[in-house]
Amino acid sequence: MASLLRGAIWRLFPRKGYCSWGTQGKLSQGFVEALKALVGSPHVSTAAAVREQHGHDESMHRCQPPDAVVWPQNVEQVSQLAALCYGHGVPIIPFGTGTGVEGGVCAVQGGVCINLTHMDRILELNPDDFSAVVEPGVTHKALNAHLRDSGLWFPVDPGADASLCGMVATGASGTNAVRYGTMRDNVLNLEVVLPDGRLLHTAGPGRYFRKSAAGYNLTGLFVGSEGTLGLITAATLRLHPAPEAMVAATCAFPSIQAAVDSTIHILQAAVPVARIGLSVLPEFLDDVMMDACNRYSKLNCCVAPTLFLEFHGSEQALAEQVQRTEEITQHNGASHFSWAKNAEERSRLWVARHNAWYAALSLRPGCKGYSTDVCVPISRLPEILVQTKEDLKASGLTGTITGHVGDGNFHCILLVDPEDPEELLRVKAFAEQLGRRALALHGTCTGEHGIGLGKRQLLQEEVGAVGMETMRQLKAMLDPRGLMNPGKVL
C-alpha cells in the first residue's frame, strides 16, 4: 500500500531533486551536430548535469530534463533553431532564469531547451517616450541599474531577479502592481520567434506607441503564454518616472481581518501609498511569516499580522500621506507603527520582504517549499484570508501567508517533506481547495505564478469549456505540431 501511495504522489506532486531520464538519447547525433552547426559547439550541451539544471524551476514538480540545452547568441540563431526543431518534430522549451514556481520549464516530452540568457543587451532606450527595448537575458535589476541616472525606472518586481522576457511569458507581477500594473500593462511590443522559425513583431517592427485600436491585441496574446506559443526574443517595455522622495513604514494588527480592512480603507481613501512609486501598495505578511522574517533577516518587527507600506512624493505630500494612513490603521487597531526614512532602513525592510521564501524555508530545515497563489476581488479578500488561515491550521501543515493585499493577490508558502507521501497529499489538497475557494469568490486560481503543470484542472474550471476550446484553437493555429513547451497550460 505504501508503495502504491508513493507512486500516486510521484505522479501528482513529485519532488524536484529526482530526475526522469526516460528521454535520454532521444536526439540523434546528426541532429545534435546540426544544433552545433547553428550556434557553435561551445553553446550546445547534452551533459547530464546541465540537462538536469534546466529540467526544473523553483517548484516541487519533478525534474524532467531536456535532451539538449542550447545557448543562442542572437535572434537569427533562435529563428534557425526553431525552424530546425520544427522540421524534425522536436519539442522546444524556452528557458530564462528558472525562477518560476509552476514547473514551466520541465521538459515533459524531452526536446531542446533554448536558454536565452546570453542575449542580454538593452537594445534601445527612449527616455522622452518612456520606453526601452530589451533582449530576453536582461533582468529587471539589470534594467533598473542601467536606468539609474535617467530619472526613469521599471516598476514590475516579482521578488526574484527574473529575466524580463521570462516575466512577460509568465505574466509576472509583484509588489508594485496596484500603482503600475502587471507585465500585461507594461509591454508595448514583442519580438517573437514562432514555432516554425518565422519572426513576428506583435505591434509592428520598431513601434512603441502607448495606445492603439489597430486589429487584435497580439502583444497581449503572448503576455502570460508561458512559452507555449513562441520564443520571446525582445520586449519593448513601458518605463515610469522615478519617485522624488520616499518613506517606508510597518504596522502590526491584532488580526488578519484588521490588517486587510486597513488596506481596503487606505485604498478607499485614495491615499497615494506605494511600494516604490506614487500610489497604493500595502504589503501583507502573516504572523508566522513575520516571525520567520525577523529571524532570517535580523529584524525586530512585531510578530503579528503586519502591513509593510511605502510612500513617495514631496516632503509635504509624504507628511499628509503618513498622517492619514496612521489615522486609518489606528482606527483598525494597529500598533507598533514604525518608520524607515533613510535608504538603508527602507532597503532592510524590503530585502526582508523579498527574502520571504527563504525565511519560510528556515522554518523547517531540510524540507522543500511549495508556493501557490490566488487573486480575488478586494472586497472578498478578508473572507478568503481568514478561511485560508483556518484551512492552514486544520491541515496540520507548516505554512505562511504573504501577499499584495491591495490588489487582492496573496500567496501561501507551505513547507513539505518530499519523502512523506501523506504530507504531499495534504499539500495538494490544500492548494486545490484554495484555488476553488478563489473561484467561488469570483477570483482566479493564480494572480502571478501562472498555470504551468500544476493548475491545468483549475484553469478549466475557471474559464469553462468554451474558454478552453478557444485557447486550444489559438494554440493549434500558432503551434499546429504542439512543439512549444508541450504539457503546460493546456
Side-chain angles (χ1 to χ4, degrees):
M1 180 62 70
S3 61
L4 290 174
L5 180 59
R6 192 173 294 110
I9 291 295
W10 173 255
R11 291 189 296 273
L12 292 172
F13 194 20
R15 66 174 178 151
K16 181 176 72 175
Y18 184 87
C19 267
S20 168
W21 301 102
T23 61
Q24 188 171 9
K26 181 179 177 181
L27 299 181
S28 69
Q29 185 60 39
F31 186 85
V32 174
E33 292 302 319
L35 294 175
K36 293 179 179 179
L38 288 179
V39 299
S41 294
H43 304 305
V44 177
S45 178
T46 56
V50 175
R51 294 167 53 226
E52 179 176 357
Q53 178 188 355
H54 288 78
H56 64 79
D57 54 16
E58 294 293 332
S59 72
M60 287 288 294
H61 293 286
R62 184 186 71 208
C63 170
Q64 298 183 76
D67 300 309
V69 180
V70 182
W71 289 263
Q73 309 300 300
N74 52 57
V75 64
E76 289 79 14
Q77 290 184 356
V78 176
S79 178
Q80 292 168 354
L81 287 167
L84 176 65
C85 291
Y86 185 83
H88 288 78
V90 175
I92 302 166
I93 304 94
F95 192 96
T97 56
T99 53
V101 292
E102 286 296 343
V105 299
C106 296
V108 296
Q109 296 180 18
V112 174
C113 173
I114 299 183
N115 185 319
L116 297 162
T117 55
H118 286 190
M119 297 170 60
D120 59 359
R121 295 177 299 163
I122 297 172
L123 299 174
E124 289 184 38
L125 176 59
N126 304 297
D128 292 341
D129 293 311
F130 297 88
S131 70
V133 183
V134 300
E135 288 188 320
V138 179
T139 67
H140 76 93
K141 287 184 180 180
L143 176 59
N144 280 323
H146 183 80
L147 295 172
R148 185 174 293 123
D149 298 325
S150 70
L152 303 171
W153 72 302
F154 185 72
V156 183
D157 180 1
D161 190 21
S163 62
L164 288 160
C165 288
M167 289 165 60
V168 174
T170 57
S173 181
T175 57
N176 304 302
V178 170
R179 167 63 177 129
Y180 295 102
T182 68
M183 290 301 291
R184 292 187 185 277
D185 306 296
N186 288 281
V187 179
L188 303 176
N189 198 354
L190 294 172
E191 178 185 80
V192 181
V193 172
L194 297 176
D196 60 2
R198 290 177 297 159
L199 190 63
L200 168 69
H201 294 89
T202 58
R207 303 190 190 281
Y208 47 92
F209 42 75
R210 287 298 188 100
K211 59 188 292 189
S212 173
Y216 298 128
N217 184 356
L218 297 180
T219 302
L221 176 63
F222 285 90
V223 179
S225 60
E226 301 187 38
T228 62
L229 301 178
L231 298 110
I232 300 171
T233 52
T236 304
L237 304 174
R238 182 193 301 258
L239 304 179
H240 298 261
E244 175 187 340
M246 60 189 74
V247 68
T250 64
C251 53
F253 292 85
S255 67
I256 289 177
Q257 183 79 43
V260 177
D261 285 347
S262 282
T263 301
I264 294 173
H265 295 160
I266 289 168
L267 291 171
Q268 290 174 336
V271 178
V273 56
R275 160 60 180 91
I276 296 180
L278 302 174
S279 193
V280 179
L281 189 67
E283 281 295 304
F284 174 89
L285 284 82
D286 79 332
D287 51 350
V288 178
M289 188 73 256
M290 195 67 254
D291 182 53
C293 283
N294 275 341
R295 289 188 279 110
Y296 186 85
S297 299
K298 298 180 175 59
L299 297 175
N300 293 307
C301 296
C302 181
V303 180
T306 301
L307 286 178
F308 283 27
L309 309 100
E310 192 160 279
F311 305 82
H312 298 170
S314 66
E315 294 294 337
Q316 180 180 353
L318 289 180
E320 294 173 354
Q321 295 166 27
V322 167
Q323 179 182 354
R324 183 67 178 124
T325 300
E326 277 200 88
E327 292 172 355
I328 292 171
T329 55
Q330 287 174 358
H331 177 75
N332 286 290
S335 60
H336 299 85
F337 210 109
S338 61
W339 298 98
K341 295 186 177 181
N342 65 53
E344 184 178 353
E345 290 174 333
R346 291 196 316 272
S347 177
R348 284 186 65 209
L349 288 178
W350 291 108
V351 167
R353 171 62 182 83
H354 287 316
N355 283 340
W357 170 262
Y358 303 103
L361 292 179
S362 71
L363 293 171
R364 285 185 72 187
C367 288
K368 299 293 184 182
Y370 171 70
S371 180
T372 187
D373 85 309
V374 297
C375 187
V376 297
I378 297 174
S379 64
R380 311 306 295 269
L381 191 59
E383 178 182 351
I384 192 172
L385 274 173
V386 171
Q387 290 174 339
T388 302
K389 186 75 171 181
E390 294 172 353
D391 292 343
L392 191 55
K393 290 180 179 178
S395 72
L397 298 167
T398 300
T400 69
I401 299 173
T402 179
H404 311 304
V405 179
D407 55 14
N409 179 215
F410 70 96
H411 309 257
C412 287
I413 303 174
L414 306 175
L415 286 305
V416 58
D417 179 358
E419 302 296 338
D420 186 338
E422 189 275 335
E423 188 172 64
L424 287 169
L425 273 180
R426 283 188 284 134
V427 168
K428 182 177 184 294
F430 174 88
E432 289 181 350
Q433 181 182 35
L434 177 60
R436 292 191 172 102
R437 280 198 188 281
L439 297 182
L441 295 175
H442 308 292
T444 175
C445 65
T446 175
E448 288 189 343
H449 295 177
I451 299 299
L453 289 171
K455 292 190 173 182
R456 289 176 292 177
Q457 177 59 41
L458 288 170
L459 176 64
Q460 293 184 40
E461 296 174 25
E462 181 170 328
V463 303
V466 175
M468 289 302 295
E469 181 58 26
T470 302
M471 290 186 190
R472 291 191 181 98
Q473 290 173 347
L474 288 169
K475 167 76 169 173
M477 180 64 67
L478 291 171
D479 182 19
R481 303 191 69 178
L483 298 176
M484 281 303 311
N485 208 10
K488 317 300 165 50
V489 183
L490 302 176

mmCIF file of all heavy atoms in Angstrom, residues 349-381:
data_model
loop_
_atom_site.group_PDB
_atom_site.id
_atom_site.type_symbol
_atom_site.label_atom_id
_atom_site.label_comp_id
_atom_site.label_asym_id
_atom_site.label_seq_id
_atom_site.Cartn_x
_atom_site.Cartn_y
_atom_site.Cartn_z
ATOM 1 N N LEU A 349 13.937 46.595 5.153
ATOM 2 C CA LEU A 349 12.557 46.127 5.205
ATOM 3 C C LEU A 349 12.171 45.366 3.936
ATOM 4 O O LEU A 349 11.592 44.290 3.991
ATOM 5 C CB LEU A 349 11.606 47.303 5.403
ATOM 6 C CG LEU A 349 11.589 47.963 6.775
ATOM 7 C CD1 LEU A 349 10.620 49.137 6.780
ATOM 8 C CD2 LEU A 349 11.195 46.959 7.856
ATOM 9 N N TRP A 350 12.529 45.939 2.772
ATOM 10 C CA TRP A 350 12.079 45.313 1.534
ATOM 11 C C TRP A 350 12.935 44.125 1.137
ATOM 12 O O TRP A 350 12.448 43.194 0.487
ATOM 13 C CB TRP A 350 12.018 46.361 0.431
ATOM 14 C CG TRP A 350 10.906 47.323 0.697
ATOM 15 C CD1 TRP A 350 11.013 48.617 1.097
ATOM 16 C CD2 TRP A 350 9.514 47.050 0.660
ATOM 17 N NE1 TRP A 350 9.775 49.170 1.296
ATOM 18 C CE2 TRP A 350 8.834 48.226 1.036
ATOM 19 C CE3 TRP A 350 8.765 45.912 0.352
ATOM 20 C CZ2 TRP A 350 7.449 48.298 1.096
ATOM 21 C CZ3 TRP A 350 7.372 45.994 0.414
ATOM 22 C CH2 TRP A 350 6.741 47.168 0.778
ATOM 23 N N VAL A 351 14.202 44.109 1.535
ATOM 24 C CA VAL A 351 15.001 42.901 1.334
ATOM 25 C C VAL A 351 14.400 41.757 2.127
ATOM 26 O O VAL A 351 14.301 40.619 1.666
ATOM 27 C CB VAL A 351 16.477 43.140 1.734
ATOM 28 C CG1 VAL A 351 17.229 41.816 1.833
ATOM 29 C CG2 VAL A 351 17.162 44.035 0.707
ATOM 30 N N ALA A 352 13.959 42.074 3.369
ATOM 31 C CA ALA A 352 13.310 41.053 4.186
ATOM 32 C C ALA A 352 12.046 40.547 3.494
ATOM 33 O O ALA A 352 11.754 39.345 3.486
ATOM 34 C CB ALA A 352 12.974 41.621 5.559
ATOM 35 N N ARG A 353 11.277 41.464 2.895
ATOM 36 C CA ARG A 353 10.059 41.066 2.188
ATOM 37 C C ARG A 353 10.379 40.155 1.010
ATOM 38 O O ARG A 353 9.725 39.135 0.784
ATOM 39 C CB ARG A 353 9.315 42.325 1.722
ATOM 40 C CG ARG A 353 8.140 42.056 0.795
ATOM 41 C CD ARG A 353 7.060 41.206 1.468
ATOM 42 N NE ARG A 353 5.967 40.923 0.547
ATOM 43 C CZ ARG A 353 5.981 39.952 -0.340
ATOM 44 N NH1 ARG A 353 7.030 39.157 -0.449
ATOM 45 N NH2 ARG A 353 4.932 39.754 -1.121
ATOM 46 N N HIS A 354 11.430 40.494 0.265
ATOM 47 C CA HIS A 354 11.780 39.680 -0.892
ATOM 48 C C HIS A 354 12.453 38.371 -0.490
ATOM 49 O O HIS A 354 12.497 37.429 -1.281
ATOM 50 C CB HIS A 354 12.683 40.474 -1.844
ATOM 51 C CG HIS A 354 11.949 41.539 -2.605
ATOM 52 N ND1 HIS A 354 10.727 41.336 -3.187
ATOM 53 C CD2 HIS A 354 12.264 42.836 -2.879
ATOM 54 C CE1 HIS A 354 10.319 42.441 -3.791
ATOM 55 N NE2 HIS A 354 11.236 43.363 -3.613
ATOM 56 N N ASN A 355 12.982 38.298 0.723
ATOM 57 C CA ASN A 355 13.576 37.060 1.221
ATOM 58 C C ASN A 355 12.553 36.171 1.917
ATOM 59 O O ASN A 355 12.925 35.210 2.596
ATOM 60 C CB ASN A 355 14.720 37.369 2.193
ATOM 61 C CG ASN A 355 15.979 37.807 1.471
ATOM 62 O OD1 ASN A 355 16.148 37.549 0.284
ATOM 63 N ND2 ASN A 355 16.866 38.487 2.176
ATOM 64 N N ALA A 356 11.267 36.489 1.775
ATOM 65 C CA ALA A 356 10.230 35.745 2.484
ATOM 66 C C ALA A 356 10.278 34.249 2.169
ATOM 67 O O ALA A 356 10.052 33.408 3.042
ATOM 68 C CB ALA A 356 8.852 36.316 2.141
ATOM 69 N N TRP A 357 10.577 33.900 0.918
ATOM 70 C CA TRP A 357 10.658 32.488 0.519
ATOM 71 C C TRP A 357 11.717 31.760 1.336
ATOM 72 O O TRP A 357 11.466 30.684 1.896
ATOM 73 C CB TRP A 357 10.946 32.404 -0.971
ATOM 74 C CG TRP A 357 11.298 31.034 -1.486
ATOM 75 C CD1 TRP A 357 12.533 30.533 -1.712
ATOM 76 C CD2 TRP A 357 10.387 29.996 -1.863
ATOM 77 N NE1 TRP A 357 12.469 29.255 -2.197
ATOM 78 C CE2 TRP A 357 11.152 28.905 -2.303
ATOM 79 C CE3 TRP A 357 8.993 29.890 -1.867
ATOM 80 C CZ2 TRP A 357 10.576 27.709 -2.743
ATOM 81 C CZ3 TRP A 357 8.423 28.703 -2.308
ATOM 82 C CH2 TRP A 357 9.206 27.629 -2.741
ATOM 83 N N TYR A 358 12.899 32.359 1.423
ATOM 84 C CA TYR A 358 13.997 31.711 2.138
ATOM 85 C C TYR A 358 13.764 31.738 3.648
ATOM 86 O O TYR A 358 14.147 30.811 4.365
ATOM 87 C CB TYR A 358 15.316 32.389 1.773
ATOM 88 C CG TYR A 358 15.549 32.359 0.287
ATOM 89 C CD1 TYR A 358 15.336 33.493 -0.497
ATOM 90 C CD2 TYR A 358 15.934 31.184 -0.354
ATOM 91 C CE1 TYR A 358 15.507 33.455 -1.869
ATOM 92 C CE2 TYR A 358 16.104 31.140 -1.727
ATOM 93 C CZ TYR A 358 15.899 32.280 -2.481
ATOM 94 O OH TYR A 358 16.050 32.232 -3.835
ATOM 95 N N ALA A 359 13.117 32.788 4.138
ATOM 96 C CA ALA A 359 12.760 32.834 5.552
ATOM 97 C C ALA A 359 11.784 31.712 5.882
ATOM 98 O O ALA A 359 11.882 31.068 6.933
ATOM 99 C CB ALA A 359 12.166 34.193 5.903
ATOM 100 N N ALA A 360 10.830 31.474 4.976
ATOM 101 C CA ALA A 360 9.878 30.395 5.204
ATOM 102 C C ALA A 360 10.575 29.039 5.225
ATOM 103 O O ALA A 360 10.267 28.180 6.059
ATOM 104 C CB ALA A 360 8.794 30.424 4.126
ATOM 105 N N LEU A 361 11.519 28.826 4.317
ATOM 106 C CA LEU A 361 12.250 27.558 4.292
ATOM 107 C C LEU A 361 12.983 27.302 5.603
ATOM 108 O O LEU A 361 13.153 26.151 6.019
ATOM 109 C CB LEU A 361 13.241 27.543 3.121
ATOM 110 C CG LEU A 361 12.648 27.502 1.713
ATOM 111 C CD1 LEU A 361 13.766 27.520 0.673
ATOM 112 C CD2 LEU A 361 11.778 26.268 1.518
ATOM 113 N N SER A 362 13.399 28.376 6.267
ATOM 114 C CA SER A 362 14.129 28.211 7.527
ATOM 115 C C SER A 362 13.238 27.698 8.657
ATOM 116 O O SER A 362 13.742 27.280 9.698
ATOM 117 C CB SER A 362 14.766 29.542 7.937
ATOM 118 O OG SER A 362 13.779 30.471 8.371
ATOM 119 N N LEU A 363 11.899 27.716 8.450
ATOM 120 C CA LEU A 363 11.000 27.209 9.478
ATOM 121 C C LEU A 363 11.128 25.704 9.652
ATOM 122 O O LEU A 363 10.884 25.185 10.746
ATOM 123 C CB LEU A 363 9.552 27.564 9.127
ATOM 124 C CG LEU A 363 9.177 29.045 9.143
ATOM 125 C CD1 LEU A 363 7.784 29.235 8.554
ATOM 126 C CD2 LEU A 363 9.233 29.590 10.553
ATOM 127 N N ARG A 364 11.463 24.986 8.575
ATOM 128 C CA ARG A 364 11.631 23.524 8.638
ATOM 129 C C ARG A 364 12.863 23.148 7.830
ATOM 130 O O ARG A 364 12.775 22.786 6.651
ATOM 131 C CB ARG A 364 10.414 22.799 8.076
ATOM 132 C CG ARG A 364 9.196 22.784 8.957
ATOM 133 C CD ARG A 364 8.082 21.928 8.352
ATOM 134 N NE ARG A 364 8.393 20.504 8.421
ATOM 135 C CZ ARG A 364 7.638 19.555 7.841
ATOM 136 N NH1 ARG A 364 6.569 19.902 7.140
ATOM 137 N NH2 ARG A 364 7.964 18.288 7.948
ATOM 138 N N PRO A 365 14.036 23.240 8.415
ATOM 139 C CA PRO A 365 15.267 22.908 7.690
ATOM 140 C C PRO A 365 15.206 21.505 7.096
ATOM 141 O O PRO A 365 14.738 20.560 7.745
ATOM 142 C CB PRO A 365 16.347 23.006 8.780
ATOM 143 C CG PRO A 365 15.770 23.949 9.788
ATOM 144 C CD PRO A 365 14.290 23.679 9.795
ATOM 145 N N GLY A 366 15.657 21.405 5.858
ATOM 146 C CA GLY A 366 15.666 20.121 5.176
ATOM 147 C C GLY A 366 14.414 19.851 4.373
ATOM 148 O O GLY A 366 14.385 18.908 3.581
ATOM 149 N N CYS A 367 13.378 20.657 4.566
ATOM 150 C CA CYS A 367 12.148 20.473 3.804
ATOM 151 C C CYS A 367 12.153 21.358 2.553
ATOM 152 O O CYS A 367 12.974 22.265 2.418
ATOM 153 C CB CYS A 367 10.930 20.799 4.670
ATOM 154 S SG CYS A 367 10.608 19.552 5.931
ATOM 155 N N LYS A 368 11.236 21.072 1.656
ATOM 156 C CA LYS A 368 11.092 21.840 0.424
ATOM 157 C C LYS A 368 9.943 22.836 0.579
ATOM 158 O O LYS A 368 9.046 22.663 1.394
ATOM 159 C CB LYS A 368 10.816 20.915 -0.762
ATOM 160 C CG LYS A 368 11.924 19.910 -1.028
ATOM 161 C CD LYS A 368 13.187 20.580 -1.504
ATOM 162 C CE LYS A 368 14.251 19.550 -1.870
ATOM 163 N NZ LYS A 368 15.503 20.198 -2.302
ATOM 164 N N GLY A 369 9.983 23.876 -0.224
ATOM 165 C CA GLY A 369 8.923 24.867 -0.216
ATOM 166 C C GLY A 369 7.997 24.685 -1.403
ATOM 167 O O GLY A 369 8.441 24.356 -2.503
ATOM 168 N N TYR A 370 6.713 24.866 -1.162
ATOM 169 C CA TYR A 370 5.738 24.876 -2.243
ATOM 170 C C TYR A 370 4.939 26.167 -2.125
ATOM 171 O O TYR A 370 4.339 26.446 -1.083
ATOM 172 C CB TYR A 370 4.799 23.677 -2.166
ATOM 173 C CG TYR A 370 3.645 23.775 -3.139
ATOM 174 C CD1 TYR A 370 3.867 23.652 -4.506
ATOM 175 C CD2 TYR A 370 2.352 24.016 -2.700
ATOM 176 C CE1 TYR A 370 2.831 23.765 -5.420
ATOM 177 C CE2 TYR A 370 1.300 24.129 -3.602
ATOM 178 C CZ TYR A 370 1.544 24.000 -4.956
ATOM 179 O OH TYR A 370 0.516 24.123 -5.862
ATOM 180 N N SER A 371 4.928 26.956 -3.180
ATOM 181 C CA SER A 371 4.238 28.239 -3.153
ATOM 182 C C SER A 371 3.072 28.217 -4.129
ATOM 183 O O SER A 371 3.220 27.806 -5.278
ATOM 184 C CB SER A 371 5.196 29.377 -3.525
ATOM 185 O OG SER A 371 4.525 30.615 -3.507
ATOM 186 N N THR A 372 1.909 28.631 -3.649
ATOM 187 C CA THR A 372 0.745 28.752 -4.512
ATOM 188 C C THR A 372 0.109 30.114 -4.284
ATOM 189 O O THR A 372 0.267 30.706 -3.212
ATOM 190 C CB THR A 372 -0.273 27.630 -4.240
ATOM 191 O OG1 THR A 372 -1.326 27.679 -5.216
ATOM 192 C CG2 THR A 372 -0.859 27.728 -2.841
ATOM 193 N N ASP A 373 -0.589 30.626 -5.286
ATOM 194 C CA ASP A 373 -1.204 31.944 -5.134
ATOM 195 C C ASP A 373 -2.575 31.972 -5.787
ATOM 196 O O ASP A 373 -2.882 31.172 -6.678
ATOM 197 C CB ASP A 373 -0.311 33.039 -5.728
ATOM 198 C CG ASP A 373 -0.514 33.220 -7.236
ATOM 199 O OD1 ASP A 373 -0.464 32.198 -7.956
ATOM 200 O OD2 ASP A 373 -0.706 34.350 -7.690
ATOM 201 N N VAL A 374 -3.421 32.870 -5.301
ATOM 202 C CA VAL A 374 -4.728 33.142 -5.894
ATOM 203 C C VAL A 374 -4.965 34.642 -5.854
ATOM 204 O O VAL A 374 -4.223 35.384 -5.196
ATOM 205 C CB VAL A 374 -5.874 32.417 -5.143
ATOM 206 C CG1 VAL A 374 -5.722 30.917 -5.232
ATOM 207 C CG2 VAL A 374 -5.939 32.880 -3.689
ATOM 208 N N CYS A 375 -6.001 35.097 -6.537
ATOM 209 C CA CYS A 375 -6.356 36.512 -6.521
ATOM 210 C C CYS A 375 -7.879 36.612 -6.555
ATOM 211 O O CYS A 375 -8.526 35.897 -7.337
ATOM 212 C CB CYS A 375 -5.743 37.236 -7.722
ATOM 213 S SG CYS A 375 -5.958 39.031 -7.711
ATOM 214 N N VAL A 376 -8.427 37.460 -5.685
ATOM 215 C CA VAL A 376 -9.878 37.630 -5.601
ATOM 216 C C VAL A 376 -10.214 39.119 -5.625
ATOM 217 O O VAL A 376 -9.342 39.963 -5.408
ATOM 218 C CB VAL A 376 -10.443 36.998 -4.305
ATOM 219 C CG1 VAL A 376 -10.198 35.495 -4.295
ATOM 220 C CG2 VAL A 376 -9.851 37.657 -3.068
ATOM 221 N N PRO A 377 -11.474 39.469 -5.892
ATOM 222 C CA PRO A 377 -11.866 40.872 -5.739
ATOM 223 C C PRO A 377 -11.529 41.352 -4.332
ATOM 224 O O PRO A 377 -11.682 40.607 -3.357
ATOM 225 C CB PRO A 377 -13.378 40.836 -5.975
ATOM 226 C CG PRO A 377 -13.602 39.622 -6.821
ATOM 227 C CD PRO A 377 -12.589 38.628 -6.359
ATOM 228 N N ILE A 378 -11.090 42.603 -4.224
ATOM 229 C CA ILE A 378 -10.601 43.105 -2.936
ATOM 230 C C ILE A 378 -11.658 42.980 -1.847
ATOM 231 O O ILE A 378 -11.337 42.668 -0.693
ATOM 232 C CB ILE A 378 -10.129 44.565 -3.081
ATOM 233 C CG1 ILE A 378 -8.941 44.639 -4.043
ATOM 234 C CG2 ILE A 378 -9.730 45.141 -1.733
ATOM 235 C CD1 ILE A 378 -8.496 46.048 -4.357
ATOM 236 N N SER A 379 -12.924 43.156 -2.199
ATOM 237 C CA SER A 379 -13.980 43.086 -1.185
ATOM 238 C C SER A 379 -14.109 41.695 -0.569
ATOM 239 O O SER A 379 -14.644 41.549 0.533
ATOM 240 C CB SER A 379 -15.320 43.499 -1.795
ATOM 241 O OG SER A 379 -15.719 42.588 -2.805
ATOM 242 N N ARG A 380 -13.615 40.655 -1.295
ATOM 243 C CA ARG A 380 -13.706 39.290 -0.784
ATOM 244 C C ARG A 380 -12.418 38.845 -0.101
ATOM 245 O O ARG A 380 -12.325 37.709 0.384
ATOM 246 C CB ARG A 380 -14.034 38.313 -1.925
ATOM 247 C CG ARG A 380 -15.176 38.715 -2.811
ATOM 248 C CD ARG A 380 -16.471 39.013 -2.044
ATOM 249 N NE ARG A 380 -17.030 37.864 -1.364
ATOM 250 C CZ ARG A 380 -17.926 37.036 -1.910
ATOM 251 N NH1 ARG A 380 -18.351 37.253 -3.154
ATOM 252 N NH2 ARG A 380 -18.417 36.033 -1.226
ATOM 253 N N LEU A 381 -11.437 39.723 -0.085
ATOM 254 C CA LEU A 381 -10.123 39.343 0.451
ATOM 255 C C LEU A 381 -10.160 38.990 1.939
ATOM 256 O O LEU A 381 -9.586 37.962 2.340
ATOM 257 C CB LEU A 381 -9.122 40.469 0.182
ATOM 258 C CG LEU A 381 -7.656 40.150 0.442
ATOM 259 C CD1 LEU A 381 -7.190 38.978 -0.397
ATOM 260 C CD2 LEU A 381 -6.787 41.371 0.157
#
